[in-house]
Amino acid sequence: MKGRERMWGQMAKTYGKSIAFIVIWLASLAGHVVAQSGGELKFCLRMEPKTFDPLKVEDEGSAAIRYLTGGVLVRVNRQTQELEPELAQAWKVSKDGRQITFRLRSGVSFSDGTPFSAGDVAYTVQQLMDPALHSATGDAFRSGTGNVETKVISPTQISITFPAPVAGLDRLFDQVAILSERSPKKEMAVLGPFMLADYKPGATVLLKRNPNYWKTDEQGRKLPYLDSIRIDIQPNRDVEMLRFKRGELDLINSLDSEYFDKLAATSPQLVHDAGPSLDSEQLWFNEVAKAPIPAFKKNWFRSANFRRAISEAINREDLSRVVFHGHAQLAVGPFSPANKFWFNGKLQPQTYSPDAALKALQADGFRLENGVLKDKDGNEVVFSIVTNAGSKPRERMAVLIQDDLQKIGIHVNVVTLDFPSLIERMTQSFDYEAIILGLTNVDLDPNGEMNVWLSSSENHQWNPQQKVPETSWEAEIDRLMRAQAASTDPRRRKEAFDRVQEIVVEQEPFIFLINKNALSAVSTAVHSAAPVILSPQTFWNADRLTVAAK
């Protein structure tokens, strides 16, 4: 009997091992099938790409196509925000920040089979930096007068020298898609995972798998997994949502909180909240000397005490809860906490305190009479907040702020204008008192906001194009922004920009309100999706996505 027990026990162990082996084998086979399943990914762009030339990209639609088709030397990982090697295996920036040397991968070809070499990098850089091209991507590299020099050291090594130091030089190459110097297909020959197959203006962009893409996965299988990506041009968000619900689209890259909550109520497995984005919403006052508004109002708006009091009187928690349904964080300053390296962690959101706001105004000569706030000369504190018509979130924020300020005796008129009219008032006639708009940040580096913080800039919205800084604190921001831009030491740059953020919070030329969360929707048919806060939020890892049959 004991012999039989031992025999059956051995058989059970052997049988169990066989079953386990079969299960493991089937699982690995299933993984292989998923990885090789390919399929077609379908989504919408809300605006038509204006160009397929990667060096001329300025709009969101063209940037999406460039990301999917363009091969770059280095790539900022959209999940970790770290810089990673791509076509360049290694790189080195000189101590003075003027030169970068790349060591390139060998054996790489463009989509049409043309070999890739250092000559292509040199050609791309020279085209990019040609002033006649007017490239927004190239402008990011312009740090001084003079020519950019490229030196091809070998087919796999190149050095690029700029006339002056360029801060964050290596990370800027994340946006530079390499062109072929020799291919007759010119910019249509690409090094990215996908290539343009068809384009119907106003309707569809079709991308197909690049058969010569150089990347493989951990098991040595060629990437990308997808056969194709079909991108429809659809500005109407209601139509986009309807098509997603029908299964005609696989993802929505960016959702408003209202659409997000409606979808979450019925299909919570489809929505993704990646947390605070880099984008901000803010209020600012008109401080332009020649603006056609009364002088006593200009005096209010130019007072830091007045701006801080307004900021204290705004209930940002309500803005997040009521307008964005909790899908927004209280803004702290120029950069969102989502910007892991550059955000100044010492800063805290403004505390909501109408009592403190009123005391600060009273200390500045304002007084409350029968529920109406008046300045020291008896002028009632009344002003208008303008925002763009059709933006429900901004219209709702303006109304909530109107209610908040009424509690301290300030009467606010809310005005909505079509976007062209708003831009004209903001940049040409300066015929406004206060504006609510947002900043869309696509660059982690503060150099991407030089055109906002330098007092001479056109986008220094509260008082643009100053010939010389009109305040001491703006002069200090100018100095710090130029200092960080000229330095190649990340620690020193961080110290300088930390101080910029502190000055902005102290002076409140922009009253930062909230940072919207990065909201998206992805079909369960899409495998390996991992939405993030950096653009493109849902398809940043498109070469590893697969779409199962529905």
Side-chain angles (χ1 to χ4, degrees):
M1 192 69 178
K2 289 181 180 178
R4 287 181 182 173
E5 288 176 355
R6 281 196 297 270
M7 179 181 70
W8 283 111
Q10 289 171 353
M11 288 177 67
K13 288 180 181 178
T14 303
Y15 181 72
K17 289 179 180 177
S18 299
I19 292 294
F21 173 78
I22 291 169
V23 169
I24 292 170
W25 178 75
L26 286 173
S28 65
L29 181 62
H32 179 78
V33 171
V34 168
Q36 296 291 351
S37 65
E40 181 172 78
L41 181 71
K42 299 184 287 292
F43 64 91
C44 290
L45 287 176
R46 290 170 186 160
M47 60 174 60
E48 186 140 11
K50 294 180 179 178
T51 181
F52 293 115
D53 184 338
L55 305 188
K56 296 180 180 178
V57 168
E58 292 185 356
D59 60 289
E60 185 179 343
S62 301
I65 304 301
R66 178 178 65 183
Y67 187 89
L68 292 165
T69 61
V72 294
L73 299 174
V74 293
R75 177 67 84 196
V76 175
N77 184 305
R78 268 36 179 186
Q79 196 166 48
T80 65
Q81 300 184 12
E82 297 295 329
L83 195 63
E84 297 178 346
E86 287 279 310
L87 294 168
Q89 290 180 305
W91 62 93
K92 184 178 181 181
V93 178
S94 63
K95 290 183 178 179
D96 64 3
R98 293 180 58 236
Q99 185 181 84
I100 187 167
T101 303
F102 291 104
R103 180 162 57 83
L104 310 177
R105 298 181 190 277
S106 58
V108 175
S109 296
F110 285 85
S111 53
D112 67 342
T114 305
F116 161 67
S117 72
D120 300 308
V121 178
Y123 170 76
T124 301
V125 170
Q126 292 300 336
Q127 294 294 309
L128 179 73
M129 301 308 295
D130 182 352
L133 188 67
H134 302 293
S135 170
T137 305
D139 287 345
F141 291 90
R142 299 190 198 283
S143 58
T145 57
N147 296 324
V148 176
E149 297 178 2
T150 55
K151 180 180 180 182
V152 175
I153 301 167
S154 74
T156 58
Q157 194 169 8
I158 182 173
S159 67
I160 306 166
T161 305
F162 294 84
V166 180
L169 175 59
D170 50 358
R171 298 178 76 92
L172 293 177
F173 281 90
D174 172 83
Q175 302 292 323
V176 181
I178 303 302
L179 302 177
S180 173
E181 181 182 24
R182 293 168 290 172
S183 172
K185 292 191 173 183
K186 300 185 181 298
E187 67 265 18
M188 292 298 103
V190 297
L191 291 163
F194 301 94
M195 58 186 186
L196 182 66
D198 190 31
Y199 171 50
K200 294 181 172 61
T204 306
V205 178
L206 179 63
L207 306 179
K208 291 286 184 71
R209 175 196 284 132
N210 175 2
N212 293 318
Y213 188 51
W214 61 274
K215 276 191 183 181
T216 59
D217 67 12
E218 292 76 7
Q219 286 72 44
R221 294 185 288 260
K222 282 184 68 65
L223 296 174
Y225 298 139
L226 291 168
D227 295 319
S228 58
I229 299 178
R230 184 175 298 275
I231 306 170
D232 292 340
I233 313 303
Q234 179 51 260
N236 189 305
R237 299 191 179 194
D238 290 325
V239 173
E240 182 183 35
M241 176 60 76
L242 182 62
R243 292 188 62 199
F244 178 78
K245 288 180 176 180
R246 288 175 177 170
E248 298 172 12
L249 301 176
D250 297 307
L251 58 84
I252 300 178
N253 197 50
S254 177
L255 278 175
D256 288 341
S257 57
E258 188 173 347
Y259 289 96
F260 181 95
D261 284 345
K262 285 180 180 178
L263 186 59
T266 57
S267 306
Q269 74 279 11
L270 301 180
V271 295
H272 298 267
D273 184 342
S277 69
L278 300 178
D279 301 343
S280 62
E281 296 288 324
Q282 59 252 30
L283 163 74
W284 73 89
F285 291 102
N286 187 347
E287 300 182 43
V288 178
K290 63 181 181 180
I293 57 178
F296 65 86
K297 289 192 175 185
K298 289 179 189 175
N299 290 335
W300 302 343
F301 302 158
R302 287 184 162 225
S303 165
N305 285 340
F306 180 85
R307 298 191 299 267
R308 281 194 293 265
I310 297 298
S311 182
E312 280 186 300
I314 295 173
N315 190 335
R316 290 168 174 79
E317 292 279 5
D318 274 0
L319 300 184
S320 173
R321 179 178 56 83
V322 176
V323 178
F324 298 96
H325 304 180
H327 302 296
Q329 310 302 314
L330 279 59
V332 179
F335 270 19
S336 164
N339 195 328
K340 297 176 182 177
F341 179 76
W342 291 104
F343 174 69
N344 184 341
K346 296 178 182 177
L347 301 177
Q348 297 296 321
Q350 176 66 265
T351 303
Y352 170 57
S353 179
D355 290 340
L358 189 56
K359 286 180 181 178
L361 289 167
Q362 289 170 337
D364 231 19
F366 291 84
R367 62 187 185 276
L368 195 61
E369 291 183 4
N370 300 318
V372 176
L373 190 70
K374 296 181 179 181
D375 67 13
K376 61 183 179 181
D377 296 320
N379 299 299
E380 293 186 9
V381 182
V382 179
F383 58 82
S384 297
I385 294 177
V386 183
T387 195
N388 54 311
S391 173
K392 291 180 181 178
R394 288 177 185 148
E395 290 176 8
R396 290 170 183 167
M397 283 195 291
V399 170
L400 287 176
I401 291 171
Q402 180 185 50
D403 291 342
D404 286 339
L405 297 185
Q406 189 67 56
K407 295 171 186 174
I408 59 170
I410 296 176
H411 181 72
V412 172
N413 299 306
V414 175
V415 179
T416 59
L417 296 174
D418 63 86
F419 205 69
S421 297
L422 174 56
I423 295 301
E424 189 279 330
R425 291 199 186 198
M426 185 173 78
T427 62
Q428 301 297 322
S429 67
F430 304 109
D431 186 12
Y432 74 92
E433 293 176 340
I435 286 178
I436 290 178
L437 275 181
L439 276 178
T440 299
N441 294 318
V442 296
D443 193 346
L444 293 169
D445 195 285
N447 276 357
E449 291 195 3
M450 290 288 281
N451 63 341
V452 174
W453 299 113
L454 290 181
S455 60
S456 58
S457 170
E458 291 182 359
N459 293 325
H460 193 73
Q461 297 299 356
W462 64 91
N463 191 7
Q465 295 179 295
Q466 299 174 32
K467 292 182 179 179
V468 294
E470 294 183 14
T471 64
S472 59
W473 59 268
E474 285 173 297
E476 179 65 1
I477 286 178
D478 283 1
R479 185 189 70 78
L480 290 165
M481 289 300 292
R482 290 193 175 102
Q484 66 81 27
S487 175
T488 59
D489 183 341
R491 181 184 57 82
R492 290 185 177 179
R493 294 190 67 212
K494 176 84 165 75
E495 287 176 355
F497 193 65
D498 275 356
R499 182 58 190 141
V500 169
Q501 293 175 77
E502 290 165 3
I503 294 171
V504 171
V505 170
E506 290 164 5
Q507 298 295 328
E508 303 225 52
F510 283 144
I511 296 175
F512 288 95
L513 302 171
I514 55 93
N515 298 116
K516 296 183 294 183
N517 286 11
L519 307 177
S520 58
V522 181
S523 166
T524 54
V526 179
H527 297 283
S528 300
V532 295
I533 63 165
L534 297 182
S535 179
Q537 291 92 328
T538 53
F539 55 90
W540 65 276
N541 59 339
D543 58 350
R544 292 177 179 268
L545 298 180
T546 59
V547 179
K550 297 176 184 177

